[in-house]
Amino acid sequence: MSSRSRRVKSIKTELITKSREAMLSAVQIFNNPNIHFKSENFIVLSNIAWMYLLHAYYRDEGIEYRYHQLNGSRKRFDRTKRGAYKFWELERCLNTNESPIDNVTSSNLRFLIGLRHEIEHQMTTKIDDYLSARFQSCCLNYNFYIKKIFGEKYAIDKHLSISLQFSTIDEPQKEKLKEFNDLPKNIASYINAFDDELTDELYNDIRFSYRVLYIPKSANRKGQADKVIEFIPADSPEAKGLNKEYVLIKEKERKKYLPKHICTIMKSKGYKRFKIHHNTHLWQLNDAQNPAKNFGTLVEGKWYWYESWVKFVEEHCEKNKKSYE
């Protein structure tokens, strides 16, 4: 093996080692009950973990991952003020055609990258519970890809187990988790805007956000309650029953519409005379901005309507065809 090959292997190995340690540190910090700076640490460290992982992959494949300009056939490398090479950040690693990461996993990472931009210059609060499902997917995706690219010996699942909890999720907590009311406005706005661009298929993919049903269970006989979490086959009668109920209660950051969007939709359905003032009169008449009616939500001072209000308006137009056609 040439000296250059040994150097490439040495740097690759160091990148993988530090990548694993960054991800392990991210999870350990998030699971530490004595630390309050959980999500921020996880987002920054997991970003580094993925970036180093992809740097190791590109180095191994002989793909140039330093920023450069082509001067004829020669490369002119971009450098920092101190003369160091500028390497690709995570988002650039994902954007290249040579990226080995699938589209759904990339969407999960792009969400975290955008979130990092929102939190890195200001303090945030109360985001741990809202985003843990996406953090969980980030961990599972990382473990999958480090094994796929570099082999089973680099797996991190053997080092981590399910974290123990000191509290249960009660009804008030469950209701609170359905909304973003107590999140910082910039974070709530970012989450809503990002999720609105996703297809339902991508949003519900476990590689984007890993969600589980949390159901307290009583054991019927000794030995049944030894495991905190029990996994059942997705096609089993028990799972089908759960999924049927879950469809009725699952919550997602729903698609939202401004009044102008509602008017556009009504016009596309043939109600060409429906205007914004009709929408205003209708919601005022029905007290539709009352949060208890769940027709919409306030985001950064603007009221956005849910799909349920769009259907309500359509039914109104159907009953009053002569006025709007």
Side-chain angles (χ1 to χ4, degrees), residues 263-281:
C263 291
T264 300
I265 292 171
M266 293 307 118
K267 287 177 181 178
S268 71
K269 294 180 179 292
Y271 308 116
K272 300 189 181 299
R273 296 172 66 184
F274 188 86
K275 307 292 184 183
I276 287 180
H277 71 270
H278 292 123
N279 184 72
T280 303
H281 177 71

Side-chain angles (χ1 to χ4, degrees), residues 41-73:
N41 269 306
F42 181 90
I43 292 165
V44 171
L45 287 170
S46 63
N47 186 295
I48 294 172
W50 276 97
M51 183 178 68
Y52 281 10
L53 180 69
L54 288 171
H55 283 185
Y57 169 78
Y58 293 138
R59 191 170 191 86
D60 197 39
E61 294 294 314
I63 298 168
E64 183 58 73
Y65 59 99
R66 292 173 292 181
Y67 280 105
H68 63 274
Q69 310 293 328
L70 283 176
N71 187 6
S73 59

Side-chain angles (χ1 to χ4, degrees), residues 210-259:
Y210 190 89
R211 310 172 188 89
V212 295
L213 292 177
Y214 181 76
I215 305 174
K217 180 183 177 184
S218 299
N220 295 322
R221 59 181 183 273
K222 292 179 181 179
Q224 282 189 327
D226 292 336
K227 288 186 177 180
V228 174
I229 294 178
E230 179 182 352
F231 292 95
I232 58 177
D235 57 353
S236 67
E238 295 89 347
K240 289 178 180 177
L242 287 174
N243 286 330
K244 183 178 179 181
E245 295 301 318
Y246 182 51
V247 168
L248 299 177
I249 65 172
K250 73 173 182 178
E251 293 291 330
K252 76 171 252 192
E253 298 82 32
R254 289 172 286 184
K255 191 169 183 180
K256 300 169 183 64
Y257 303 88
L258 288 169

Side-chain angles (χ1 to χ4, degrees), residues 43 107 150 171 315:
I43 292 165
S107 292
F150 297 114
E171 197 67 22
E315 289 174 2

Side-chain angles (χ1 to χ4, degrees), residues 12 16 20 53 57 60 142-159:
K12 182 191 81 171
I16 296 172
R20 291 178 77 252
L53 180 69
Y57 169 78
D60 197 39
Y142 177 87
N143 190 55
F144 170 80
Y145 273 105
I146 197 170
K147 290 192 295 184
K148 178 182 179 182
I149 297 172
F150 297 114
E152 289 285 338
K153 67 178 181 178
Y154 291 110
I156 62 171
D157 50 349
K158 56 190 175 185
H159 298 293

Side-chain angles (χ1 to χ4, degrees), residues 131-180:
L131 301 173
S132 58
R134 305 190 191 199
F135 296 163
Q136 181 66 71
S137 286
C138 178
C139 295
L140 295 174
N141 295 339
Y142 177 87
N143 190 55
F144 170 80
Y145 273 105
I146 197 170
K147 290 192 295 184
K148 178 182 179 182
I149 297 172
F150 297 114
E152 289 285 338
K153 67 178 181 178
Y154 291 110
I156 62 171
D157 50 349
K158 56 190 175 185
H159 298 293
L160 298 169
S161 186
I162 296 165
S163 60
L164 300 179
Q165 306 295 319
F166 287 108
S167 63
T168 59
I169 299 177
D170 56 25
E171 197 67 22
Q173 284 176 303
K174 183 192 76 174
E175 293 302 317
K176 188 177 178 183
L177 285 171
K178 291 180 183 179
E179 299 295 338
F180 290 153

